Amino acid sequence: MEINGTIIRALSGFYYVEAEGTVYECRARGAFRKEGVSPLVGDSVTIETDGEKGTVVRIWERKNYLLRPPVANLDRLFIVSSVKSPEPNIFVIDKMSVFAEKSGIEPVIVFSKCELDDAQLLCDIYEKCGFSTVKCSSVTGEGLDKIAALISGCRCAFTGNSGVGKSSLINALVPDLSLETNGISEKLGRGRHTTRSVSLYSACGGYIADTPGFSSFEQSASPLLVEKEELAEQFPEFRRFITECRFYPSCSHTRDKGCAVCEAVKNGEIPVSRHESYLRMYEEVKNIKAWD
């Protein structure tokens, strides 16, 4: 029998598909491997069932997908950074926001552990750029109502450096999940990875995904899958200035004379930290050709 459902968990080659009120443990048909396609959590799929087990036989068209975190069909990506322990990594936040913008996913910037320090200056940077931001704490409960409202009616993922409190936030939002958490390794200055697989949970009137942590080194070293000509468009605060550049559309928005983006940075209309992240990403992609 064939039925349609959604992949809610992937682990070691098994895909757990929620369909018609039942969760089926499935393998994927071998043809996907030959086609170079891998099922992802969040995929809408058709499965052939045999009792409580089944086989994924079709993956329906995705509206978007990410490989890190490996999820599909997202509406919002919550990019979580702690204000302290570990210290926030602005470049990682900005790079993840570019991934989200490029994929057609709304990024929401979340600053956690606000019981330890004030996050208002950080929020001001991203609100000025047009992003939704949340100051929150899984200890005091600050900001949890706002996150729950943003999840409602949407399929969302949480991502961020290890140790920033993703699992703790999800536990605070949905206590019944009781996701495994660990403390910060003081020696390494980062968290121990506690999330071993990607899972999609029904919560707060929508769905949330908990994903494996990634270190800032891994993220900053990973290739940015955006061509240099497209990069500036992934910075929302750049968009209204791009066409005003003297050398539009060929302006690189780096240090060119007559660049409206650079002028906006000087005038305080674009945060300096955001332009610095742009320059760093531009260096990564400037020599990459479309066919590479």
Side-chain angles (χ1 to χ4, degrees):
M1 180 177 66
E2 289 191 354
I3 54 176
N4 296 328
T6 301
I7 297 177
I8 61 170
R9 191 181 188 202
L11 179 63
S12 302
F14 288 95
Y15 302 95
Y16 297 85
V17 178
E18 185 177 68
E20 299 181 358
T22 301
V23 176
Y24 297 88
E25 182 183 81
C26 301
R27 290 282 196 178
R29 67 184 181 94
F32 290 134
R33 190 177 297 107
K34 296 177 182 178
E35 297 166 1
V37 177
S38 295
L40 297 176
V41 169
D43 272 332
S44 296
V45 297
T46 298
I47 62 173
E48 290 181 350
T49 64
D50 180 13
E52 294 184 356
K53 297 185 182 296
T55 302
V56 178
V57 297
R58 179 175 181 180
I59 301 172
W60 293 85
E61 184 178 358
R62 297 164 175 159
K63 67 178 181 180
N64 56 55
Y65 70 95
L66 295 175
L67 295 180
R68 181 178 292 158
V71 287
N73 300 317
L74 291 179
D75 299 300
R76 291 193 170 112
L77 181 65
F78 290 88
I79 301 169
V80 184
S81 173
S82 53
V83 293
K84 198 170 185 179
S85 187
E87 297 297 317
N89 187 320
I90 297 299
F91 182 65
V92 169
I93 296 172
D94 292 342
K95 197 166 187 181
M96 283 305 306
S97 76
V98 166
F99 277 119
E101 291 283 342
K102 173 65 176 175
S103 301
I105 304 166
E106 180 190 350
V108 178
I109 315 300
V110 177
F111 293 103
S112 64
K113 303 187 183 180
C114 286
E115 76 278 5
L116 301 179
D117 207 347
D118 182 41
Q120 189 57 53
L121 290 178
L122 290 166
C123 285
D124 289 344
I125 291 172
Y126 291 95
E127 288 172 2
K128 187 172 186 176
C129 298
F131 293 103
S132 296
T133 69
V134 183
K135 295 184 292 183
C136 70
S137 169
S138 58
V139 175
T140 67
E142 178 186 2
L144 296 183
D145 288 348
K146 186 174 181 180
I147 294 176
L150 288 167
I151 292 170
S152 181
C154 296
R155 189 173 292 178
C156 309
F158 285 71
T159 191
N161 281 353
S162 299
V164 299
K166 297 186 301 296
S167 293
S168 294
L169 281 178
I170 295 173
N171 282 340
L173 287 163
V174 194
D176 290 345
L177 293 181
S178 298
L179 300 180
E180 179 189 0
T181 59
N182 256 325
I184 297 297
S185 166
E186 293 182 4
K187 182 178 180 181
L188 296 178
R190 55 185 172 86
R192 302 179 182 93
H193 290 192
T194 58
T195 309
R196 305 302 181 187
S197 64
V198 181
S199 299
L200 192 65
Y201 304 101
S202 176
C204 304
Y207 286 90
I208 57 177
D210 192 34
T211 65
F214 59 88
S215 72
S216 58
F217 172 79
E218 289 170 340
Q219 185 56 29
S220 61
S222 65
L224 186 64
L225 302 179
V226 178
E227 295 176 28
K228 64 180 181 181
E229 293 81 6
E230 301 176 307
L231 181 58
E233 285 287 347
Q234 314 314 319
F235 285 73
E237 69 275 28
F238 286 20
R239 291 171 188 158
R240 68 187 178 98
F241 300 105
I242 289 173
T243 57
E244 300 174 13
C245 289
R246 179 180 177 185
F247 300 108
Y248 174 81
S250 59
C251 184
S252 66
H253 316 296
T254 53
R255 295 174 180 82
D256 296 341
K257 186 175 181 180
C259 174
V261 170
C262 292
E263 192 64 26
V265 176
K266 291 179 185 177
N267 294 337
E269 296 172 278
I270 292 175
V272 172
S273 66
R274 290 281 290 171
H275 191 244
E276 288 176 347
S277 289
Y278 170 81
L279 294 175
R280 186 171 168 185
M281 291 182 218
Y282 189 86
E283 284 298 310
E284 289 184 10
V285 302
K286 68 179 182 180
N287 295 321
I288 298 176
K289 308 298 182 185
W291 55 83
D292 286 349

